[in-house]
């Protein structure tokens, strides 16, 4: 499985050290065994230097990382409560909720993206509702903005966040939560009881020594049942 991702990455990594040429394939070979031993490997750093010199590439790279990080956090914030609710729902409701999560996969990705373009367009549903409620005077430019990008990414990848989380949460024993809750209550009770004992002891110390009153001894009848003295 690792080689499935590693081999293409190494192949692209090798191409990054090649020189672009007008040929097939459109890059030079970095290994040329027809030359002398010292010239077998032909590497160039021009591609990496070009990326560092042109702001367009590294700015786009940093912005891509920013969009990916924010989108992942949003998917986690939205997906975890949904996954937890699905895992703790009854069997009938759970099947329905899982079907609703998987349902978007039945439609083509391109069609879903075009549907969002229609929803967020100037003549789309969002602007139509806002105009009908007199919340805005003119349509908002929502498309081709960061908001539209985040919305599209979160909508597309939220099922990939919900399903793995659901699979993990569903395996957890719910009795562990009850046991942890009982343990928390017990610890709180022990803390409260210890605090009450400490408070009582502190009151006794502050009030000084207490006088203990002993009850008066009751007279002892030295006669037996017949009325004769025992001694």
């Amino acid at each position: 499985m690792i080689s499935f991702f590693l081999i293409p990455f190494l192949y692209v990594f090798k191409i990054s050290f090649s020189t672009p040429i007008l040929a097939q394939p459109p890059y030079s070979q970095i290994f040329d065994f027809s030359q002398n031993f010292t010239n077998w490997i032909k590497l160039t750093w021009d591609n990496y230097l070009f990326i560092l010199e042109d702001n367009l590439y590294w700015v786009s790279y940093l912005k891509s990382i920013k969009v990916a990080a924010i989108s992942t956090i949003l998917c986690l914030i939205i997906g975890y409560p949904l996954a937890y609710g699905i895992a703790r729902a009854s069997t009938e409701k759970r099947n329905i909720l899982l079907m609703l999560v998987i349902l978007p996969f039945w439609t083509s990705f391109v069609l879903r993206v075009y549907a969002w373009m229609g929803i967020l367009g100037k003549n789309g549903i969002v602007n139509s509702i806002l105009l009908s409620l007199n919340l805005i005077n003119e349509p908002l430019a929502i498309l081709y903005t960061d908001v539209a990008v985040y919305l599209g990414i979160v909508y597309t990848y939220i099922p990939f966040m919900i399903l793995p989380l659901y699979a993990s949460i569903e395996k957890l024993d719910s009795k562990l939560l009850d046991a942890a809750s009982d343990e928390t209550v017990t610890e709180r009770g022990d803390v409260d009881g210890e605090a009450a004992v400490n408070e009582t002891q502190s009151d006794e110390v502050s009030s000084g020594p207490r006088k203990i009153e002993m009850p008066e001894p009751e007279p002892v009848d030295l006669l037996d049942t017949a009325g004769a003295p025992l001694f």
Side-chain angles (χ1 to χ4, degrees):
M1 189 65 181
I2 298 177
S3 61
F4 181 78
F5 297 97
L6 186 60
I7 293 176
F9 172 77
L10 293 177
Y11 190 76
V12 174
F13 185 70
K14 181 191 73 119
I15 295 174
S16 66
F17 292 99
S18 303
T19 303
I21 58 176
L22 295 176
Q24 188 67 28
Y27 54 87
S28 63
Q29 299 295 330
I30 63 175
F31 299 104
D32 189 0
F33 298 103
S34 63
Q35 303 294 329
N36 296 330
F37 176 75
T38 57
N39 297 326
W40 278 3
I41 301 177
K42 296 181 179 180
L43 301 178
T44 179
W45 296 91
D46 294 340
N47 297 323
Y48 292 95
L49 294 176
F50 179 74
I51 292 176
L52 296 176
E53 292 173 357
D54 195 342
N55 296 338
L56 176 63
Y57 292 98
W58 63 269
V59 170
S60 300
Y61 180 74
L62 293 178
K63 187 173 182 180
S64 299
I65 295 177
K66 170 191 166 186
V67 171
I70 295 176
S71 301
T72 303
I73 294 173
L74 292 176
C75 287
L76 181 61
I77 294 174
I78 300 174
Y80 186 84
L82 294 177
Y84 187 86
I86 295 173
R88 293 294 177 257
S90 60
T91 304
E92 297 179 356
K93 293 181 180 179
R94 185 185 307 171
N95 295 332
I96 297 175
L97 294 174
L98 287 175
M99 185 186 67
L100 293 177
V101 174
I102 303 173
L103 192 62
F105 291 110
W106 297 358
T107 309
S108 173
F109 173 78
V110 178
L111 292 178
R112 284 183 282 157
V113 172
Y114 272 105
W116 275 108
M117 293 178 65
I119 294 173
L120 301 177
K122 291 187 176 181
N123 297 323
I125 298 175
V126 175
N127 280 316
S128 299
I129 294 175
L130 294 177
L131 289 172
S132 62
L133 297 176
N134 295 325
L135 297 177
I136 57 175
N137 297 325
E138 59 182 7
L140 298 176
I142 304 176
L143 279 180
Y144 312 111
T145 61
D146 291 344
V147 175
V149 172
Y150 291 129
L151 183 59
I153 293 177
V154 170
Y155 168 76
T156 303
Y157 292 101
I158 192 67
F160 297 101
M161 179 66 74
I162 294 176
L163 295 177
L165 290 175
Y166 161 76
S168 300
I169 297 174
E170 197 270 337
K171 295 178 182 178
L172 298 177
D173 190 358
S174 60
K175 296 180 180 179
L176 297 177
L177 297 176
D178 298 335
S181 178
D182 295 340
E183 184 66 21
T184 303
V185 173
T186 303
E187 291 179 357
R188 290 181 179 177
D190 294 340
V191 172
D192 295 340
E194 184 178 354
V197 172
N198 293 334
E199 183 179 358
T200 303
Q201 293 177 351
S202 62
D203 293 340
E204 292 177 355
V205 172
S206 60
S207 60
R210 298 176 60 186
K211 182 178 179 181
I212 301 176
E213 296 181 357
M214 298 297 294
E216 292 290 339
E218 297 181 358
V220 179
D221 190 2
L222 299 179
L223 299 178
D224 60 359
T225 54
L230 294 177
F231 301 100

